Amino acid sequence: MPVSKLVGAKVKRREDPRLIRGLGQYVDDINLPNTLHVAILRSPHAHARIKSIETDAARRHPGVVAVVTGAEIKDQIGTLPTSGGNETLRVPKHYVLAADKVCHVGEGIAAVVAEERYTAPDALDLIRVEYELLPVVSDPEKALAPGSPVIHSEWPDNVAFRSDLKHGNLAKAFKEADKIITQRLVHQRLAPIAIEPRGVLAHYLSSDKELTVWSSTQIPHMLKSHLSQMLKLSEKQVRVIAPEVGGGFGSKLNVYAEEGLLGYLALKLNCPVKWTEGRRENIQATIHGRGQVGDVEAAVKKDGTILGLRYKVIADIGAYHQLFTPAIPPFTGLMLSGCYKIPAISIDLTAAFTNKMSTDAYRGAGRPEATYVIERMVDRIAQELRIDPVKVRKKNFPKPAEFPFKTATGVAYDSGNYQLALNKALKIVGYEKLRRDQKRLRSQRRYLGIGLSTYVEICAMGPKGMWEYGKVEVEPTGKVRVLSGASPHGQGQETSFAQIVADQLGVEMDDITVIHGDTAAVAKGIGTFGSRATAVGGIAIYQAAEKVKEKARELASHFLEVDADDLVFSDGRFSVKGVPKKGLTVQQIAQEAHRAKNLPKKMEPRLSAESTFEPSNFTFPFGTHICVVEVEPQTGKIGIKKYVAVDDCGKVINPLLVDGQIQGGIVQGLGQALYEEVVYDENGQLLTGSLMNYALPRAADLPRLNLTRTETPTPVNPLGIKGIGEAGTIGSTPAVVNAVVDALAPFGVTHIDMPLTPQKIWSLCQETKAAGSGGRR
Amino acid sequence: MIPASFDYIAPQSLEEAVRALADHGEEAKLLAGGHSLLPLMKLRLANPKLLIDLSRIPGLRGIRHETIKSSSARSPHIIR
């Protein structure tokens, strides 16, 4: 890399002026003439046979253009796709509207298309559905128990898939252990709650036989391929546009029923059709995250050395597989080693169908679960062995010289220095003093807790097929167009990609436009998820910019009639060594390349290049989060006193963007630890169906975050960047829970399942008091 | 997030509002700030037939501090 000016600089997000002023154009802001509005009738029951649907009254309602039911259209639209999984995977048919049976609350049954967006929901109220209620199972453990109602009658039970992976000599590990520590852990279901719910606008242009679908998606190119298959069109006939997208967190890394349905309706009615998800629909019918319950066993030596780990887990799949549902729980198994040398690890995974919405990728996608398992266990080990949790961690860390570090689970961590990040965090938080304070305050019956989480995660998806595409074009005017197959939806790559290109070509950032999210504009792509947009997509852009620079060098050499080796590149200009006045700027070269009157032989006109990048390995960002809490046993209230995060995502392109990702990530992880849970009752009714009863963290709940970094570049890509989209979420949850458990250690508390509500804390403290230990140790 | 259709009146006096409320009973809801009611209506969890908007009633504007002399405290309380 040349000496950089912009890469590494705190460049303000170029996206923000339009977003802050409300000028962003989201799907719902796009208005085409004669658009019809779609509303979807959703099942109020978790499991029921549809005996009959009476739609006549809705069809007659003034302003209603069409009503369709699942049974009517099931043969006309392909079922929803799913990827991943092994040979045990069972894939039930997942129609865009349920045909004869509903399997979860919120599953679509019928759709009304009306001239006005107020009319469509009015007409929904006129549809009469007769249901035959079926037995419901909403708990994943009960779903696997003998005698459970079976959701999909094609199979004898509710097993969605299974895997049982054993790495290393577990028998030996558990035989040689001084102690075996066990813990049951629940990773509750979460709703991703992107600030913009989903939305779809579809328009079929019959003259061109082209279907354009605007969707609030993270994966326009993937969606295009899937939609063309579902609607039996050629890929050429489908264009997907992801306009401004108001967050996704994995929930828009999917192909949803409504996308297929709206495409179908646009084709059938030959009119633009629009559907905008309401928040209640968003919680019912957009994927959930997490949803695992497992038993962990750790085999340890007296000194804290971890010899082996067993995790027997049930993953709550919901009623159907969405796009990557089967791919998520295996990530937990892959990352169970955390940032420790554990010679033997097993994961026995059973995925269960339940009468609930599907789970799928939500910020972290399998890694928060792995991190929670190992980080909770390390603290359990420390507590059982009465060793400081810092010591247990340091004892089991691989040394910096051991990288690439191969885990028992078979992944090779690219680079790392876990000691450095931990030591830095300890110093910032003032660990030794905090421990002294803790002791002192306990004698005053005040309960301070210090929670650590030393995490490592896997991102920049990835090798084996997850490439990304980039193109850099210098226009004859000197303006630069950057095209990316990544589809950022809030992360800020319009800024960071421009920084990369500006440095490479020596042009002003203001002269660079980053284009993404339109399959007609960008030839190909995969999308934004798994913290890959910069670490994979950004590298494709970097490589394309390098190619452009090389072409410019060849052209400069031709125009200036000097050898290419005799040219110096600086500030966007090639000049002849020793004759600085003789030179050409990239803009001048671009103009000549466009005019193409005097090009070297076989050289194509215009100054542009494209590239794809597929990394040779994943990247493994890591860090240490330390959370300090004070818990009030009398009220169950948890106050966060300090929060220190030292994160390492390799080289940083824009510290502001990285801090933003970390902040948002920590808040979402803290949400899981303290507040959030998607609750269904035993009848499969969703009890947390709106933001009045699904508790998100709010600004007033948040501590001041002390964020800093270490920088360990990855060897996996030429910029040394690892990705940072999910690390905050992955690192923070166990830090918070560990802190609260640490605070309540005098009460004999060894574990509390999330979310750590005041009610739970208060009850625990009351129980201990009743048992006579009285808050002393 | 689209409410069902409803009728709307904005009485000019307290008497008028009370009368409307008496006439329509359970089917009417009073609209003050709307912070609770309107979200419920948008979620279609509340579907009143009539909204009685209190914002035009002069006696219900602003907050006034008064020393309470008797047990009948007064608190005009529409704030926009």
Side-chain angles (χ1 to χ4, degrees), chain A residues 463-764:
Chain A
K464 294 178 192 162
M466 286 285 189
W467 46 268
E468 197 47 271
Y469 167 82
K471 184 172 184 183
V472 174
E473 291 181 320
V474 188
E475 301 283 358
T477 55
K479 306 283 182 200
V480 181
R481 278 160 46 97
V482 175
L483 292 89
S484 175
S487 194
H489 42 280
Q491 295 87 346
Q493 273 89 2
E494 285 172 36
T495 307
S496 56
F497 287 178
Q499 287 176 259
I500 293 173
V501 173
D503 274 0
Q504 279 297 98
L505 300 183
V507 296
E508 295 293 327
M509 262 187 82
D510 285 347
D511 287 337
I512 301 171
T513 309
V514 178
I515 294 159
H516 60 81
D518 181 348
T519 61
V522 182
K524 51 193 168 176
I526 301 280
T528 290
F529 53 90
S531 303
R532 69 190 304 275
T534 308
V536 184
I539 305 301
I541 300 285
Y542 169 79
Q543 291 181 163
E546 259 196 335
K547 281 189 187 172
V548 164
K549 197 163 115 185
E550 281 323 298
K551 183 168 181 177
R553 184 186 294 275
E554 270 182 68
L555 285 163
S557 136
H558 178 75
F559 297 140
L560 296 169
E561 296 176 337
V562 289
D563 198 89
D565 293 339
D566 288 333
L567 290 169
V568 202
F569 182 73
S570 155
D571 284 336
R573 185 169 177 271
F574 288 95
S575 59
V576 180
K577 249 183 223 167
V579 198
K581 277 194 179 162
K582 197 176 169 193
L584 289 167
T585 64
V586 169
Q587 284 84 350
Q588 288 168 325
I589 297 167
Q591 200 166 28
E592 288 304 318
H594 178 77
R595 283 154 44 114
K597 292 207 168 139
N598 168 27
L599 291 182
K601 266 180 198 146
K602 289 188 181 169
M603 183 171 280
E604 294 195 8
R606 287 187 62 95
L607 188 53
S608 74
E610 55 183 4
S611 178
T612 55
F613 178 67
E614 183 180 302
S616 56
N617 186 9
F618 296 98
T619 62
F620 296 86
F622 61 91
T624 296
H625 287 209
I626 302 180
C627 178
V628 182
V629 299
E630 182 169 355
V631 182
E632 291 176 9
Q634 299 87 348
T635 59
K637 190 184 163 207
I638 297 166
I640 299 181
K641 298 282 162 200
K642 276 190 182 185
Y643 197 104
V644 172
V646 178
D647 295 282
D648 193 320
C649 57
K651 284 278 182 194
V652 169
I653 293 183
N654 185 334
L656 289 179
L657 295 181
V658 169
D659 282 351
Q661 288 295 316
I662 290 287
Q663 280 168 6
I666 289 173
V667 173
Q668 275 180 315
L670 195 138
Q672 174 170 21
L674 299 181
Y675 310 112
E676 299 181 40
E677 182 171 19
V678 173
V679 182
Y680 287 89
D681 71 8
E682 58 187 18
N683 299 314
Q685 284 299 320
L686 180 59
L687 303 184
T688 51
S690 81
L691 293 183
M692 288 183 280
N693 37 36
Y694 185 84
L696 288 174
R698 290 163 302 184
D701 303 324
L702 301 176
R704 193 177 174 80
L705 304 174
N706 185 330
L707 307 182
T708 182
R709 276 184 289 281
T710 58
E711 200 170 288
T712 312
T714 177
V716 169
N717 62 59
L719 292 180
I721 54 183
K722 290 195 173 190
I724 196 62
E726 294 153 291
T729 313
I730 292 165
S732 60
T733 308
V736 177
V737 177
N738 283 345
V740 175
V741 173
D742 182 55
L744 296 178
F747 290 83
V749 171
T750 56
H751 177 71
I752 317 168
D753 277 323
M754 301 179 289
L756 308 179
T757 57
Q759 185 194 4
K760 269 188 208 169
I761 305 287
W762 182 82
S763 305
L764 260 176

Side-chain angles (χ1 to χ4, degrees), chain B residues 57-78:
Chain B
I57 301 173
L60 291 181
R61 284 215 184 127
I63 288 180
R64 196 163 58 237
H65 182 269
E66 292 180 4
T67 312
I68 299 168
K69 288 175 185 155
S70 67
S71 58
S72 58
R74 292 173 57 193
S75 84
H77 65 275
I78 293 187

Side-chain angles (χ1 to χ4, degrees), chain A residues 118 121-122 125 279-280 692, chain B residues 1-4 40 43-45:
Chain A
Y118 283 79
D122 286 345
D125 294 342
R279 187 57 77 189
R280 283 221 294 173
M692 288 183 280
Chain B
M1 304 297 266
I2 304 289
L40 287 173
L43 292 168
R44 295 198 174 213
L45 291 172

Side-chain angles (χ1 to χ4, degrees), chain A residues 17-44:
Chain A
R18 70 169 189 268
L19 294 177
I20 291 168
R21 287 183 294 163
L23 300 176
Q25 291 283 301
Y26 299 85
V27 173
D28 196 46
D29 296 314
I30 299 166
N31 292 307
L32 301 181
N34 306 318
T35 295
L36 301 174
H37 298 270
V38 179
I40 294 161
L41 183 71
R42 298 183 182 277
S43 171

